[in-house]
Amino acid sequence: MSSRVDGGAPRVKNRAPAAVQITAEQLLREAQERQEVQFKAPKQRIEDFEELHEYRGRKRKEFEERIRRTRGKMREWQAYASWEASQGEYDRSRSVYERALDVDGRDISLWLSYTEMELKARNVQHARNLFDRAVTLLPRINQLWYKYVYLEELLQNIPGARQVFERWMKWEPEDKAWQAYIKLEERYNELDRASAIYERWVAVRPEPRVWVKWGKFEEERAKLDKAREVFQMAL
C-alpha cells in the first residue's frame, strides 16, 4: 500500500525484506548446514576421496596418453612429473622423471626440473645425488656445476662446495668457473687457497690477462713479493 504525506505525492513503502526476515533465513540455513555436517559429513569425506582418486586416475591416463604420442618431448614429461609433485605424490613424480631420463638423459632442463622438485620438497640429499649424477653424465655443462656448488654453499657445506669445484676444475672449464672458485675462497677469507687456484688457473690458461689478475690479487692483499714474482713469471 501507499500513503500520502501533507497531501503530496504517494510515498511507496520499502518493499525490501525486513532485517528480521534475513536473519531468520540465515538461521534456517545455518541450522540446515549444521544438520548436514552432523549427519552427512562422513559420507561427504568418502565421496571427496573417491572423487580425488577418480580425478587423479583420469589425469594420469591423460598424461600417459600424451607422452605415448609425443615420447621425445621432455616438456610433456616435465608437466606430468610436476603435476604428480603438486599432488604430493613425490615417489610417482620421481618415477616419471626417471622414465624421462631413460628417454633422454642428456636433456639439461629435465635434470634442472628434477632437482628443483626435490629441493621444493626439501629432499636435499636427493637433490645432491641428482646433481652428482648430472655432472658425471654431462661434465661439460657448466650450468649444472654452478647449481651444484651453489647448493652446497647455501647449505654452508663449504668443504663439499670445494670438492665439487675440484671435480669441475679437472675438466679445465671456462674462465668464469675458475673465478667462481676463487670468489668462494675470498668470501671465507681463504686467500692462500685463492692464490693456489690462480696458480692452477694460469697453468691451464697461461694468458696475459690471467697473470695480471693473479698479480693484482696478490697486490691487493699486500703480498708485494708474491705479486712481483707473479709478474716476473708472466714475462
Side-chain angles (χ1 to χ4, degrees):
M1 292 180 66
S2 64
S3 60
R4 293 179 182 275
V5 178
D6 297 332
R11 187 176 65 188
V12 178
K13 291 183 177 179
N14 184 2
R15 294 182 181 179
V20 66
Q21 291 175 309
I22 296 173
T23 304
E25 290 173 2
Q26 290 175 338
L27 289 171
L28 287 170
R29 186 167 60 250
E30 289 172 2
Q32 184 178 6
E33 288 173 352
R34 282 197 298 271
Q35 288 179 344
E36 290 176 352
V37 170
Q38 183 178 357
F39 297 107
K40 297 183 180 180
K43 183 179 179 181
Q44 187 65 39
R45 282 198 296 270
I46 294 171
E47 289 174 354
D48 287 345
F49 178 80
E50 289 176 349
E51 288 175 7
L52 178 62
H53 184 72
E54 290 175 2
Y55 161 74
R56 286 175 172 173
R58 190 166 60 250
K59 287 290 290 184
R60 287 180 182 122
K61 186 176 180 180
E62 291 172 4
F63 277 121
E64 289 290 342
E65 180 61 24
R66 281 159 58 182
I67 61 175
R68 186 188 65 80
R69 293 198 310 267
T70 57
R71 181 175 172 80
K73 288 187 177 180
M74 291 298 105
R75 283 181 299 178
E76 297 291 351
W77 289 95
Q78 289 179 43
Y80 188 3
S82 296
W83 177 81
E84 290 288 8
S86 73
Q87 301 295 304
E89 297 283 355
Y90 295 111
D91 285 342
R92 286 181 177 272
S93 180
R94 290 184 193 105
S95 176
V96 174
Y97 274 120
E98 291 296 336
R99 289 167 60 196
L101 288 172
D102 285 341
V103 175
D104 186 1
R106 307 189 73 81
D107 189 287
I108 302 166
S109 66
L110 189 62
W111 286 103
L112 294 175
S113 177
Y114 195 175
T115 53
E116 183 180 357
M117 182 276 289
E118 296 290 11
L119 290 172
K120 283 182 177 179
R122 300 184 182 278
N123 295 318
V124 174
Q125 193 56 47
H126 286 181
R128 276 179 167 144
N129 292 340
L130 285 172
F131 277 128
D132 188 79
R133 288 170 58 193
V135 298
T136 300
L137 180 66
L138 302 167
R140 296 293 184 184
I141 305 301
N142 292 325
Q143 187 180 12
L144 295 171
W145 289 105
Y146 281 121
K147 294 277 189 180
Y148 195 178
V149 294
Y150 175 74
L151 173 62
E152 295 298 347
E153 187 178 5
L154 192 66
L155 296 169
Q156 290 296 299
N157 181 21
I158 308 309
R162 284 194 187 103
Q163 288 177 2
V164 175
F165 267 120
E166 285 298 322
R167 289 174 60 190
W168 189 5
M169 296 307 106
K170 289 178 181 178
W171 293 93
E172 300 182 0
E174 62 182 10
D175 288 346
K176 288 181 180 179
W178 291 94
Q179 289 174 309
Y181 192 3
I182 290 166
K183 286 178 181 178
L184 171 79
E185 299 297 1
E186 289 180 322
R187 280 195 292 276
Y188 297 94
N189 203 34
E190 295 285 355
L191 301 185
D192 288 341
R193 286 179 178 271
S195 180
I197 297 166
Y198 269 113
E199 186 173 1
R200 292 164 58 193
W201 184 12
V202 295
V204 170
R205 209 152 290 139
E207 299 173 9
R209 57 188 176 78
V210 182
W211 285 104
V212 170
K213 284 181 182 293
W214 185 12
K216 286 184 176 179
F217 167 78
E218 299 297 352
E219 284 180 343
E220 288 172 0
R221 69 178 187 135
K223 295 284 187 177
L224 300 183
D225 289 342
K226 183 67 175 179
R228 192 178 299 111
E229 179 186 342
V230 169
F231 286 125
Q232 288 174 348
M233 287 190 297
L235 296 176

